[in-house]
Amino acid sequence: MSTPIASTAPYYARYRPPYPAELYELLADRFALDGSQTVLDLGAGPGTLALALAPLVDQVYAVDTEPAMLAEGCRLAGEHGRRNISWLTGDAACLPRLCLPRIDLCVIGRAFHRMDRARVLADLDTALAPRGGVVVITSPAGEDGPRPPWWAVVEEVCARFLGPGHGARSAPGGGGAPEGVDDADDVDDEGDTDDMYDHLAKSPFSRVETIAWEQPVRYTVDQLVGLQFSFPRSSPARLGDRKDAFASELRRALLDHAPRGGYARTVPVRAALATRPRT
């Protein structure tokens, strides 16, 4: 039987908002990506970062605990001709056992809060080249201002199908989880963002620079419905035989709310670029 996270994989890859182009321009500039580097995408999911970075580097190693996510990433890599990505099943704790070559850059997208951060950073100190760096990308919870009007529509339908309180567990538009998160597998809970950066500052990669963007996102009604299936709390596995009814009811409620569609919001994206102190 498919697990909640496994069943989200195709929806995650298709409906989660991509990272802004400025992020990749920043990484290319700060780490002089010229096609010769080796990159580790830790907690890769379906390869959102790996697929975008592959054209800029020589080799990407995408590591995740969920085989379904990696399978979806591998499928997309084949579609886009990205042949320089290796898809590896494992978690951050198994990093020393992966026997990777020297890494020039490690990227962690919306997964750092689920790792043993001190241990991961210590392991990365061994794995990364002297001038290598770690980049942690988050969508900080509760920092995107007032919620758009359609947000309440999604929460109300989710609550009816999933029970009271479940509708608010993940941002309906793909950002951080605002409050009340207690699902261990809900991949959108960013945790305490300042605490994450504090771990970086106390690590061997203590030279930390943070960059933030406000990313405007606009959805069609079908995209917003599909997006809900990318969250473990409203995954196809959890909804089971109610999936089609959920989709139909959410689509109807959204169109009743805004018949012309066009559901917009702003997603905050923050990147922490951590390198070793200059000597």
Side-chain angles (χ1 to χ4, degrees):
M1 180 180 294
S2 179
T3 66
I5 290 181
S7 68
T8 68
Y11 299 96
Y12 193 111
R14 182 173 181 180
Y15 294 111
R16 291 293 181 101
Y19 294 112
E22 292 88 347
L23 169 64
Y24 302 105
E25 293 168 3
L26 176 70
L27 297 183
D29 177 62
R30 290 289 197 278
F31 296 97
L33 303 183
D34 59 6
S36 64
Q37 290 79 15
T38 299
V39 172
L40 170 64
D41 182 0
L42 200 54
T48 305
L49 287 164
L51 290 162
L53 287 169
L56 306 177
V57 301
D58 179 58
Q59 182 67 38
V60 180
Y61 293 92
V63 178
D64 199 89
T65 59
E66 178 50 64
M69 286 287 186
L70 295 174
E72 183 65 17
C74 188
R75 183 187 70 80
L76 291 170
E79 284 187 1
H80 295 284
R82 305 284 190 254
R83 298 180 176 84
N84 60 334
I85 306 176
S86 297
W87 305 92
L88 306 176
T89 302
D91 60 18
C94 78
L95 187 57
R97 299 193 298 274
L98 292 177
C99 299
L100 299 177
R102 185 56 59 108
I103 302 297
D104 298 295
L105 173 65
C106 175
V107 293
I108 305 172
R110 297 175 179 148
F112 193 46
H113 61 290
R114 301 217 176 276
M115 300 175 182
D116 181 340
R117 288 163 285 191
R119 176 177 177 177
V120 168
L121 292 168
D123 289 340
L124 287 173
D125 187 34
T126 300
L128 263 69
R131 294 184 179 274
V134 181
V135 177
V136 177
I137 302 113
T138 60
S139 290
E143 295 186 9
D144 48 344
R147 297 175 184 176
W150 53 260
W151 188 297
V153 177
V154 177
E155 288 187 338
E156 191 277 329
V157 174
C158 285
R160 274 196 280 127
F161 277 81
L162 300 165
H166 283 74
R169 293 195 191 283
S170 297
E179 73 280 310
V181 176
D182 58 14
D183 278 344
D185 61 355
D186 198 321
V187 294
D188 274 329
D189 175 19
E190 294 291 358
D192 187 333
T193 305
D194 291 336
D195 182 57
M196 296 180 205
Y197 297 148
D198 187 54
H199 274 85
L200 290 170
K202 293 177 179 178
S203 79
F205 306 94
S206 59
R207 186 167 174 262
V208 183
E209 175 187 9
T210 61
I211 310 291
W213 300 271
E214 296 293 317
Q215 182 182 13
V217 181
R218 192 172 184 86
Y219 307 96
T220 66
V221 65
D222 288 338
Q223 288 171 334
L224 202 48
V225 171
L227 182 67
Q228 305 317 305
F229 296 136
S230 78
F231 300 119
R233 52 96 184 169
S234 51
S235 66
R238 278 214 173 138
L239 286 163
D241 58 9
R242 299 174 297 157
K243 176 178 178 286
D244 290 344
F246 172 84
S248 178
E249 180 60 21
L250 181 55
R251 186 175 289 106
R252 182 199 62 77
L254 287 167
L255 289 174
D256 284 348
H257 169 75
R260 295 184 180 181
Y263 308 93
R265 76 174 297 228
T266 299
V267 177
V269 178
R270 187 182 294 175
L273 285 67
T275 55
R276 297 181 179 92
R278 289 175 177 170
T279 57

